[in-house]
Amino acid sequence: MQRFPCPFCGLRDEREFRFAGEAGKTRPDTTQEVSDKEWANYLFFCKNAKGPTCEIWVHTTCQEYFVMERDSATMEVLDTTPMRKDVA
Amino acid sequence: MTGHRIETRGLIDRSKPLSFRFDGKTYHGVQGDTVASALLASGVRIFGRSFKYHRPRGVWGAWFDDPNAVVDIEFGGITYPNCQATTTQLIEGLVVRSVNAWPTAQRDLKGVLDFAHRFLPAGFYYKTFMWPDWHLFEPIIRRMAGIGTLNTDVQDNFEAAILHDHCETLVIGGGLAGLMAARTAAKAGKSVLMIDDHPEFGGSSYRYPNDAADAPSNWVDEQLSAIEDAGGRVLSNTTAIGVYDHQAVSILTDRGVGVAPVVRKLRPENVIVATGAVDRPITFSNNDRPGLMSLDAGAEFLARYGVLVGHQIAILTNRPDAANVAAQLENAGANVDLLDPKSGAAKTIGSQTIKGLQLAGHTHTCDTILASAGLTPMVHLWRHAGGKLDWDEGRQTFVPSTGPDWMRVIGAANGTFERDALEEEARSAALNAPSPKRRIYSIPPLLPDTNNTEGRQWIDFQHDVTLKDVALAHRENMVSVEHLKRYTTLGMAGDQGKTSNVAGLAAMAALKGQKIPEVGTTTFRPPFVPIPLEAYRGAHRDTQVAPLKRLTLEPDHRALGAALGEYGGWLRPAWYGEDDEKSAVTRECQMARSAAAIMDSSALGAIEVIGPDARAFVNFVYYNTMSNLKPGRIRYGFMLTEGGLVFDDGVMACVDDTRFIISCSSSHADAVMAHLEHWRQDSFDPDRVHIHDTTQNWSTVTIAGPMSRAIVEELGVLDTLEDLPHMALKFGAFEGVQARVARVSFTGDTSFEISVPNSSVSKLWQQAIAVGKPHGAGPVGAEALIVLRAEKGYIIVGKDTEGETMPHDLGFGAPRLRKSAAFVGDRSLHTDNANREDRKQLVGLSVDSGEPLLPVGAHIVTGQGPDRRSLGYVTSSHDSVALERPISLALISGGLAAMGEKVEICHMGSSRHATITSSCAFDIEGTRIDA
Ligand SMILES: [Zn+2]
């Protein structure tokens, strides 16, 4: 059982968190032409890297999304940062 | 004569006799015995039969490392399957049965399988039973091959306590090394918890009573007192089942047969692993015969239980300390032959019992053989924690190398087998000082001889894997350790390879011409020993996992005689009154269509979206265009996943340009809330749009039916209903409290949803019932509502939709083609897959009046013989009271273009016919909605 530091609530049990996606993915502008390939890349493909990763997680009890850098091989949490612009 | 109890030795209480039964016969043991020690003391040798060939099997190890003596235990009317006889503490009245043997271990009728062994090599099941279908053979093979008998009775009050605990230093294993480490750490001021899986601490110290000036038990007591005096804690009968991420350790305390275990979870700052080592079997011909045990088993049965395992004992080992064990056995009255396994090929003589050992052409008469090819350190917890292993050529086994800095492995688990080396190692671990260099220790290699795979040379006793099977796996190119494991099932038995892995790897390495470390090891996974499933559950069950959501009106429903049921996590009225379900639902359907239904709709989700960007937000999360929804108006719509699949449906009301109220499926409110938060924080400025779930704050009474308007007028929540058309919202007041009235309908009739804060709803409900009564209206439960909506073809997401359903499959295709703004899932609605004409689409199915219901799940089929295939299935099916005939909804491939076609319906082998219709079966023109 892992423990993750929510940038707002501190160190909490992993059961309170959900994975929301790999960081750095941008939703294509669907008002413009988006190819099947581009959409499939966005929708289905992940780097799923072994080692250091940068991911978006949500702390379900406070509902805040944040960026978590962690090592997917050692499970070490390297850093968490809020996504809020007003929280530096 | 075989095993027997001697007068001295042991940690048992000879003054406390216990009786128990084994395979129908009564036996006696004493307090402190395990099931295995009591049976050995009574001369029993055969404890069970092996998994595949039903070979007679006796005890190999004295503790968790025994793969053979697996038994079912009945106690207090409950059967506990697959217990290890060697670790189960004996109590009065146990009924013990050998597994895998019928009728008893001694006389096993299936033993004939052993004579057929030539036909049952590794992979036999995979190869032989593939054609035409493994499932045809599976039940018979499973019945023959299974271990243990599962009890389907649930035992009352068998609930594991799952606790959270804390300590700074956790010492796992209370043998010599563990005791020394715990004492040092406690004296240094650490909060220490030391655990050991035996009832007594002390580990192997009892084997050599003459070593110390004091008896071992005095030395152990002294250490325990010192630990406790320094504030440390100790737990016996407690094993560490696993080390998990972020330094979490689970430990389990066995409280004996019939009592649920206690599990403690903790995150110590330091973990000291002192879990010892176990003997490896020697791979030679018929090395599985009952009476052939590990060297340490011979020593342990004597030291802990006062049981001498044989009279004429042959010791076959490369271990340098064998003479010490031999001396102890001789002191206890045995004749011991110390033999060198390197002197030549070995073979046991005798089948049911051992009569001798043939070694390098000589026959040594004996009734018992104690064997060891060296000690295997128990490095499992170190591997759970991510520690690495090195192959140690001198020790002929894997030992810990680099790993996490918070864990230290000491004693035999670290390959430190000499007792005089323990103190320094334990001390350094306890004080977090650098560990001393591992000493040079060298034993002659004693690995399986792959040039001679003849005979039955067992590697995995419980799963019947022989050296020949490993050779076969190699010939068939199953050479990776993970393939070897799955192909032969080597290491997949209850002991998870504790005794068999090194020999299996060594054999494969030899066959491949590689070194053992090049072959590698399989993954070590928790739990360290087999544990009851209860250890994972504890109180985490039923409503403690998913608490029921309760309605504010529940007492009112009960007062009206409601039958309550769970719907999407909510406890809701299913129907009212004393009638049986069918009569009640029929009566409520009639009332709804002829007068009005009064319903509690509070379980529907009520999520408010507020802020300057609220309108843009709802337009983005809905499939339907919401940008032009006027204040005071309501629109029906779908939320989709980004994959274009229907996620939820419901209505949304626009209060004003900055406030919207989303009404979602009652079971879905939490998921919808999470979905909205995701998009709010991903794609919007979270300071300009806010989402607030008010489901638990507001309650809603729905009045639907031809008389609803009259009833709502009398309730006086709004001054007038004249300017409230279908799909409109107005605010009013009920007894001075703000109320919302929404014209939305889930039944197809004129319908009003009146929402008030929870504190006012009971009064509103009671007034509605009172006012409605003269009009012929009354309370209607969820079951009737489900029929009423099905008559109209209104869907329930998750019931009438599946994991591929897109909105155009439900007949809502317009936004897909016309909505120009971006919305969640938009691009996914224009893939080749989304454009297919044979997508499963929602339609109705009609059968003639008087015919029975089509069963939910029945398949719509086409074609004959081998071309026969399913086109879809029935999703909802009800007796329509209004139409006086069965109605059904179904998802059918290309169904929307097949109106009026007759189709074949197949269910459980029988076939019927039905006609594809529109999903709406009642009031198709929709005249009742605004009557
Ligand atoms: Zn938080």
Side-chain angles (χ1 to χ4, degrees), chain B residues 554-567:
Chain B
E554 187 182 320
D556 295 271
H557 298 315
R558 289 186 186 277
L560 290 166
L564 297 163
E566 195 249 271
Y567 296 86

Side-chain angles (χ1 to χ4, degrees), chain B residues 523-538:
Chain B
T523 311
F524 294 80
R525 289 195 182 86
F528 174 66
V529 287
I531 57 170
L533 278 178
E534 176 55 31
Y536 293 102
R537 183 191 71 158

Side-chain angles (χ1 to χ4, degrees), chain A residues 6 8-9 59 61-62:
Chain A
C6 169
F8 304 91
C9 312
H59 186 208
T61 45
C62 75

Side-chain angles (χ1 to χ4, degrees), chain A residues 1-4 13-15 20 25 27 29-31 33-37 39 42-43 58 63-66 74-77 83-86, chain B residues 164 244-246 248 265 267 540 620 642-643 673-674 677-681 683 685-687 820-828 830-832:
Chain A
M1 190 65 71
Q2 304 177 73
R3 283 190 299 183
F4 299 139
D13 194 286
E14 76 170 79
R15 280 174 294 192
K25 260 193 175 180
R27 189 177 198 273
D29 179 359
T30 52
T31 61
E33 185 75 24
V34 178
S35 71
D36 278 354
K37 190 174 175 170
W39 187 248
Y42 158 71
L43 198 54
V58 56
Q63 297 186 338
E64 285 290 340
Y65 284 70
F66 62 92
T74 65
M75 301 297 156
E76 188 187 355
V77 176
M83 290 173 75
R84 291 290 199 116
K85 61 182 185 225
D86 51 347
Chain B
H164 292 268
Y244 305 89
D245 295 326
H246 296 179
K265 299 178 173 184
R267 287 181 202 274
H540 301 289
F620 179 70
E642 191 74 300
M673 192 62 203
E677 269 300 335
H678 179 102
W679 289 111
R680 168 182 171 255
Q681 293 185 46
S683 298
D685 179 346
D687 289 337
S820 55
F823 60 92
V824 177
D826 49 7
R827 180 59 181 83
S828 295
H830 298 283
T831 62
D832 289 348

Side-chain angles (χ1 to χ4, degrees), chain B residues 600-611:
Chain B
D600 183 354
S601 306
S602 312
L604 282 176
I607 297 171
E608 301 211 7
V609 181
I610 306 157

Side-chain angles (χ1 to χ4, degrees), chain B residues 796-851:
Chain B
I796 295 177
V797 169
K799 178 170 170 59
D800 303 304
T801 65
E802 53 162 37
E804 290 184 281
T805 305
M806 292 179 165
H808 54 286
D809 300 329
L810 304 171
F812 291 84
R816 170 173 176 253
L817 303 176
R818 301 211 191 102
K819 186 171 175 176
S820 55
F823 60 92
V824 177
D826 49 7
R827 180 59 181 83
S828 295
L829 301 177
H830 298 283
T831 62
D832 289 348
N833 186 46
N835 290 329
R836 287 167 66 131
E837 284 176 3
D838 62 350
R839 296 183 60 80
K840 284 200 194 87
Q841 295 160 337
L842 185 78
V843 292
L845 285 175
S846 78
V847 296
D848 291 339
S849 179
E851 274 200 41

Side-chain angles (χ1 to χ4, degrees), chain B residues 111-127:
Chain B
V112 69
L113 278 175
D114 188 37
F115 299 106
H117 70 258
R118 222 162 275 120
F119 309 109
L120 287 175
F124 171 76
Y125 294 125
Y126 297 132
K127 288 184 211 160

